[in-house]
Amino acid sequence: MVLSTDMKQHFSTVSSFTNKLQEASFVCEMSLKCADLGHWASPWKVHRQWVQVLEEEMFRQGDKEKQAMYPVSPLMDRNKPGITVSQEGFFNVVVQPLYHSTATAFPSLMPMLEAVAENCRLWSSAAEMKEREAKDEKEAKEEREAKEKRKE
């Protein structure tokens, strides 16, 4: 410690200090980003509620845009699918890289990354279920229409 007062090291010490302050600031920024998307690391029920609240907030924004005669922003038109249909993509592009980078730097955060991955898996399962239901519904409709044509 006393050697840090040596003037021969002054400029490198000051430079190092500045770099370390910037690094600490960046760690805080990353932590804040993780906190902003923290619902992704929550239990499924809590995470799903957050997404529903966020989607309603976005729909209200879209309603205001319509009232003001502005074009409605993407995912904000309540007459079209909202953010609940895009969660898997949002995970792959935004959430997973953020939490992966952070957990790599701070391995004690690995349980958060695992929780985030589990929520993505559940969104994927929900999307697959909706696709299956839509396919079954389409097939049932086609079958009904075919029966109606045979009756004619």
Side-chain angles (χ1 to χ4, degrees):
M1 257 330 196
V2 172
L3 291 178
S4 65
T5 63
D6 185 351
M7 287 308 287
K8 285 192 277 185
Q9 303 297 322
H10 173 76
F11 293 106
S12 104
T13 301
V14 170
S15 175
S16 178
F17 177 70
T18 302
N19 290 336
K20 287 182 180 177
L21 278 178
Q22 289 171 348
E23 290 170 17
S25 175
F26 192 65
V27 168
C28 288
E29 287 178 40
M30 291 294 284
S31 299
L32 187 58
K33 291 181 83 49
C34 286
D36 185 44
L37 298 172
H39 64 86
W40 270 94
S42 297
W44 171 252
K45 184 178 178 182
V46 173
H47 166 62
R48 179 97 168 106
Q49 288 172 338
W50 267 99
V51 172
Q52 289 170 334
V53 168
L54 291 169
E55 185 172 58
E56 180 56 31
E57 180 182 332
M58 292 174 79
F59 285 158
R60 287 182 185 161
Q61 175 66 35
D63 295 344
K64 288 179 180 179
E65 291 173 349
K66 273 185 186 176
Q67 281 180 331
M69 308 276 265
Y70 294 130
V72 179
S73 300
L75 302 173
M76 294 190 180
D77 188 340
R78 69 173 67 248
N79 299 316
K80 296 179 181 177
I83 62 171
T84 53
V85 300
S86 63
Q87 290 303 290
E88 194 175 357
F90 186 71
F91 168 81
N92 290 327
V93 174
V94 176
V95 179
Q96 195 277 341
L98 171 66
Y99 276 89
H100 183 267
S101 296
T102 307
T104 299
F106 302 100
S108 64
L109 298 180
M110 201 56 73
M112 290 176 67
L113 178 61
E114 292 165 2
V116 163
E118 175 63 10
N119 282 336
C120 182
R121 187 190 67 71
L122 291 169
W123 278 112
S124 180
S125 296
E128 289 170 8
M129 189 180 304
K130 280 185 179 180
E131 286 176 16
R132 269 187 260 130
E133 289 171 358
K135 183 180 175 189
D136 291 347
E137 191 175 306
K138 180 181 176 187
E139 289 173 358
K141 181 181 176 187
E142 289 171 353
E143 193 174 305
R144 284 191 305 274
E145 289 173 352
K147 283 181 183 179
E148 289 295 320
K149 282 186 180 180
R150 280 187 242 132
K151 286 182 182 178
E152 295 174 358

